[in-house]
Every structure is written in C-alpha cells, then in structure tokens.
C-alpha cells in the first residue's frame, strides 16, 4: 500500500504529464472544466483534429482544448478579421481562429513544417474554412520583415504566437509594428510548465530548462513595454495578451 508521501508523488507525477495542458493544481478540476465547459461546446471539426493530433508523437506541442475555446470567443469579441499565426503544428488553434472569423476573414499562418499542417488540413478543408488560410512554410522572421518592407504596418487585428521561444522577443519587435493600435498579440507558453517560478536546482526536463530563460526575458520585456497593455492568463500553459496602445 502506498504511503501518503508516495501517493502525493504519484499525483504530482501524473499532473506533470498534463502540465502543458493546465497549470491548475488539481487534475480533477481541470477535467471538470473540459467536461463541463469545453468538450460539450467544441465544434466537431476541432474535436476531430484534436483526436488526430493526440496520436502525433509531438502531441505536447498542440494548443489545449480550453485555450482553443478561449481563442475562438476572444476573436469574436474583438471582431477580428485579419489575423496572423506563428507556429501552426497540426492546426488546432488555426482551426479555432478560422471558425471564429467572418467569411471574408484571413489568417496568415507560418510554420517550418508543412507536413504537420497537412495532417490537419483535410479537417480544415472539410470544415469549409481552408480558403481563409494563407499558409507559408519556413522561418517567420523573413516573412515579417517583408511585410514591414511592403508597408503592412498596423494591418493585423490579432496575432497568435506559439513557436520557438528563443525568438519571441525578435517576433515582438516586428509584431508590435504589424498589429494595429487597439489590436491584440497573444504569446503562448508564458508560464512555461510553471518553470518560471521553479528554483534554480529544480529537476526540469531538458527542453523546459533550455527555453525557460527566454520566456522569463520575454515576460520581463512585455511588462516594461509602454506601447502595450498586458494581461497574463493561466489558460493552457499560460498566455499573455498584449493590446497595442501606441
């Protein structure tokens, strides 16, 4: 029979495996949110894509279902029409966005891996929203630089970033020009598995430890940026919303 200490460790271990999904201390409470609020209202195409993505060996990279629901309603609230997404993976958050946009809405989507995007593309096509997406394969920074060179400053209502954390600040330098005044930028993973408050000697997975300093640097920079208002939310793995005010 397990001791209380062992049981506590087991609970912590189980929770650690879903750490990228939720930062709630209770797995049962997170499951309650999913089963009560998220899954009953999840559009069928999003459910289908979520189940396909769950079988992917890198499924930890996907946007969580509760965050997908949040993005969907947020985009409707701000009446977004022209959006951008950096880091697509199989397209769960992209589909949440596409379903929220009006018929003439557009998403410029970028990822270094077209193969993952094409895994979800049949579902996106079946949902009837593929025509809203302009997918570009390759690094995002050259594309962003080209947009600025082409005079696209202030032309995006919403931008979602869920990509290489070591480039988040490089993205921000460009995105703050490309998003309109009053528009939003959402940076995903800003609580980074809770590691942002972990002690220096904490036993962290290698990739979590590697990117933690970049996330900490981003969070500090966003808090000090006078051009934006910010709100850090414990949804998914943490998402920071930045509203451009100047």
């Amino acid at each position: 029979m397990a001791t209380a200490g062992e049981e506590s460790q087991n609970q912590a271990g189980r929770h650690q495996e879903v750490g990228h999904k939720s930062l709630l201390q209770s797995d049962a409470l997170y499951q309650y949110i999913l089963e009560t609020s998220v899954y009953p209202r999840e559009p069928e195409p999003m459910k289908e894509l979520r189940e396909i993505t769950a079988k992917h060996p890198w499924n930890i990279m996907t946007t969580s279902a509760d965050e997908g629901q949040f993005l969907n309603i947020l985009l409707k609230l701000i009446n977004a029409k022209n959006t951008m997404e950096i880091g697509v993976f199989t397209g769960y958050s992209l589909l949440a966005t596409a379903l929220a946009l009006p018929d003439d809405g557009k998403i410029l989507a970028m990822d270094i891996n077209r193969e993952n995007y094409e895994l979800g593309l049949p579902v996106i096509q079946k949902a009837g929203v593929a025509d809203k997406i302009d997918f570009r394969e390759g690094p995002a920074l050259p594309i962003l630089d080209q947009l600025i060179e082409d005079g696209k400053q202030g032309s995006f209502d919403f931008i979602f970033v869920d990509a290489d954390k070591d480039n988040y600040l490089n993205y921000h330098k460009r995105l703050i020009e490309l998003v309109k005044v009053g528009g939003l930028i959402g940076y995903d993973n800003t609580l980074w598995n809770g590691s942002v408050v972990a002690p220096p000697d904490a036993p962290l997975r290698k990739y979590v430890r590697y990117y933690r300093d970049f996330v900490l640097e981003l969070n500090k920079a966003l808090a000090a940026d006078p051009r934006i208002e910010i709100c850090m939310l414990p949804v998914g793995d943490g998402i920071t919303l930045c509203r451009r005010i100047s």
Side-chain angles (χ1 to χ4, degrees):
M1 183 174 177
T3 66
E6 288 171 337
E7 182 61 28
S8 176
Q9 283 185 332
N10 289 341
Q11 290 285 357
R14 278 202 295 274
H15 184 63
Q16 186 178 10
E17 290 309 306
V18 296
H20 67 291
K21 299 294 184 191
S22 173
L23 294 162
L24 292 175
Q25 292 301 304
S26 163
D27 287 344
L29 187 56
Y30 180 53
Q31 197 63 31
Y32 174 82
I33 292 171
L34 292 175
E35 293 177 0
T36 306
S37 169
V38 181
Y39 293 157
R41 305 302 293 267
E42 185 179 35
E44 193 58 37
M46 289 181 66
K47 178 184 177 184
E48 184 180 352
L49 183 50
R50 177 168 56 82
E51 291 173 347
I52 289 170
T53 307
K55 298 171 186 173
H56 195 290
W58 301 342
N59 58 28
I60 195 171
M61 291 170 56
T62 191
T63 300
S64 60
D66 54 321
E67 189 171 4
Q69 185 182 61
F70 170 71
L71 290 173
N72 184 273
I73 200 166
L74 176 67
L75 287 157
K76 291 171 182 172
L77 286 169
I78 66 172
N79 296 313
K81 187 173 177 180
N82 193 35
T83 74
M84 182 194 301
E85 181 160 332
I86 301 175
V88 171
F89 191 43
T90 61
Y92 187 78
S93 56
L94 187 62
L95 179 56
T97 300
L99 289 170
L101 296 184
D103 291 342
D104 59 345
K106 295 296 178 187
I107 314 164
L108 174 60
M110 292 166 258
D111 200 290
I112 58 171
N113 189 318
R114 178 179 287 274
E115 188 177 339
N116 289 329
Y117 168 65
E118 288 182 345
L119 188 66
L121 186 55
V123 180
I124 293 171
Q125 290 170 332
K126 190 164 64 173
V129 292
D131 60 322
K132 298 179 184 179
I133 299 167
D134 174 11
F135 179 83
R136 311 274 185 93
E137 183 180 21
L141 289 174
I143 299 173
L144 301 180
D145 287 337
Q146 188 62 53
L147 288 170
I148 291 170
E149 192 176 320
D150 292 344
K152 300 295 185 182
Q153 290 88 338
S155 60
F156 290 89
D157 305 311
F158 179 77
I159 300 171
F160 183 58
V161 186
D162 182 10
D164 43 335
K165 317 309 165 196
D166 45 343
N167 263 319
Y168 269 28
L169 271 178
N170 290 324
Y171 294 142
H172 185 68
K173 289 172 186 172
R174 294 155 173 84
L175 298 181
I176 195 65
E177 292 189 47
L178 292 167
V179 72
K180 71 179 185 182
V181 174
L184 290 177
I185 306 170
Y187 290 103
D188 202 16
N189 308 112
T190 52
L191 294 175
W192 200 229
N193 285 237
S195 69
V196 290
V197 294
D201 58 348
L204 301 174
R205 283 167 284 185
K206 190 178 292 185
Y207 81 94
V208 173
R209 180 175 297 281
Y210 175 76
Y211 287 112
R212 178 177 60 170
D213 287 347
F214 293 107
V215 174
L216 288 168
E217 186 182 9
L218 171 80
N219 291 342
K220 187 177 179 180
L222 295 181
D225 190 337
R227 300 168 296 179
I228 55 176
E229 296 171 329
I230 66 170
C231 179
M232 181 183 280
L233 299 168
V235 176
D237 189 30
I239 179 171
T240 299
L241 296 179
C242 308
R243 178 176 177 265
R244 183 182 174 189
I245 55 175
S246 67

